[in-house]
């Protein structure tokens, strides 16, 4: 009854845990949700919405918004023109479009291990297999030795590890990609959540010759419910990607595009980011402090300089799925690290903890509960 690829469609553990985390009284470190108090609430009455936005629009996205996105990318050091920008219904759509462009059943993807679970889910669906780094992040040696057809990576405040490659690492990786002639897909939704100074320029800005796709999102800075993101592609890729977008959904939601155009054009986005950073920084610092007080002897982690997550490696063997069940019974939702590994099945003693969603009190209480359980 179903296409063969449906057998490869895995249920997402995150969605299941998130459903359990919705129960009243549960402290959730499981998802990647922005804090409710930071969600951008547009003054809809201030928006002068042209009647034309209720009509079908361009597959590429609204031209003013594409201009603004290109200008922002240029300021980051990524040279591009507005006609290289495609506006997406969330950057998750970019993963789907790139998978349709590049992945078939013989395709190998080089990625970090662990990496973003929902990207693995999409690439799996299209039949990809994975090559991954030995360490948490990619090195030039991984690229030189790789047989992969393209690389997918999250160089800035990675999901799930929170790691951020330095400028020098980005330059070395870009050189290795050019030498190995390996196309690069850089996923960059967390860049603006930088708590200790701005993140280095995108890795793809250092590439000389290979094709690339770079994508970003307004979910983590404004609101995920807007469902708005964008991709910027090497000029050779933008036409097929635009056709894929057209085939998928004709175009992105025009009301969301009007809202984001307005907040980008009048500087509200940057002001909103400046307002939310201290809130997230305080939560990150508190989680680090309580982890240090409670779990320093039982786990390793590093303090992330941005993004939404702590990545914990427990020092002793531990069945983290059992731990997750026990934690849920105590009213705490945590995310086992296993599903983030491309090579499955793999038992790891890792956990991803989100610090953005819970209040300061609940961060403290949640880490205390976790420490007692461990
Ligand atoms: C690495 C990464 N890429 C893409 C996405 C998708 O984000 P959105 O579709 O909300 O833009 C996420 C969401 O958590 C993510 O962590």
């Amino acid at each position: 009854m179903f296409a063969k690829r449906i057998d490869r469609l895995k249920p997402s553990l995150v969605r299941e845990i998130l459903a359990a985390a919705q129960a009243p009284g549960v402290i959730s470190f499981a998802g990647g949700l922005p804090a409710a108090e930071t969600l951008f609430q547009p003054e809809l009455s201030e928006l002068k919405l042209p009647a034309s936005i209720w009509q079908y629009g361009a597959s590429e996205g609204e031209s003013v918004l594409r201009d603004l996105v290109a200008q922002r990318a240029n300021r980051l050091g990524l040279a591009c023109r507005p006609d290289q920008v495609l506006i997406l219904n969330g950057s998750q759509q970019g993963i789907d479009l790139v998978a349709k462009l590049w992945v078939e059943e013989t395709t190998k993807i080089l990625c970090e291990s662990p990496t973003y679970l929902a990207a693995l889910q999409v690439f799996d669906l299209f039949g990809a297999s994975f090559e991954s780094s030995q360490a948490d992040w990619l090195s030039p040696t991984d690229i030189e030795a790789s047989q992969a057809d393209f690389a997918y990576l999250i160089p800035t405040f990675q999901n799930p590890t929170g790691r951020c490659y330095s400028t020098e690492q980005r330059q070395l990786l870009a050189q290795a990609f050019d030498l190995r002639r390996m196309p690069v897909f850089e996923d960059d939704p967390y860049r603006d959540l930088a708590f200790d100074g701005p993140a280095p320029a995108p890795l793809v800005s250092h590439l000389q010759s290979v094709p690339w796709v770079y994508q970003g999102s307004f979910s983590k800075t404004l609101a995920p419910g807007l469902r708005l993101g964008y991709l910027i592609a090497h000029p050779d890729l933008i036409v097929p990607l635009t056709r894929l977008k057209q085939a998928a959904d004709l175009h992105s939601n025009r009301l969301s595009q009007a809202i984001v155009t307005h907040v980008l054009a009048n500087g509200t986005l940057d002001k909103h980011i400046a307002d939310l950073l201290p809130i997230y920084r305080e939560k990150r610092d508190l989680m680090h402090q309580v982890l240090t007080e409670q779990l320093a002897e039982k786990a390793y982690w590093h303090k992330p300089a941005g993004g939404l997550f702590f990545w914990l490696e427990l020092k002793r063997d531990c069945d983290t799925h059992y731990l997750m069940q026990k934690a849920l019974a105590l009213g705490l939702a945590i995310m086992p690290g296993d599903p983030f590994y491309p090579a499955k099945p793999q038992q790891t003693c890792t956990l991803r903890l989100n610090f953005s969603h819970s209040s300061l009190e609940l961060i403290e209480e949640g880490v205390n509960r976790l420490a007692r359980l461990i």
Side-chain angles (χ1 to χ4, degrees), residues 40-58:
F40 180 69
Q41 311 269 338
E43 270 305 331
L44 289 176
S45 57
E46 270 179 19
L47 282 175
K48 291 189 191 65
L49 297 174
S52 58
I53 74 155
W54 307 112
Q55 188 52 275
Y56 284 113

Side-chain angles (χ1 to χ4, degrees), residues 90-92 95 116 152 154 159 187 189-190 217 219-220 227:
S91 63
Q92 186 66 28
I95 301 173
Y116 176 46
Y152 166 76
I154 312 161
N159 181 3
D187 193 2
Y190 297 104
S217 175
S219 293
K220 312 296 176 182
R227 289 289 72 227

Side-chain angles (χ1 to χ4, degrees), residues 84 209-213 232-239:
Q84 290 172 257
S209 57
V210 288
W212 52 268
V213 178
I232 304 175
H234 185 279
D236 293 351
L237 304 181
I238 197 71
V239 170

Side-chain angles (χ1 to χ4, degrees), residues 31-33 88-95 115-119 152-154 156-160 185 187-190 215-220 223-225 227-230 308-309 340 352:
L33 305 187
L88 305 168
N89 273 319
S91 63
Q92 186 66 28
Q93 182 174 44
I95 301 173
T115 189
Y116 176 46
L117 168 75
Y152 166 76
L153 69 173
I154 312 161
T156 308
F157 314 135
Q158 207 244 21
N159 181 3
F185 179 16
D187 193 2
D188 203 11
Y190 297 104
Q215 69 170 19
S217 175
F218 298 105
S219 293
K220 312 296 176 182
R227 289 289 72 227
L228 215 70
Y230 56 87
L308 298 180
F309 307 106
F340 296 92
R352 190 191 72 174

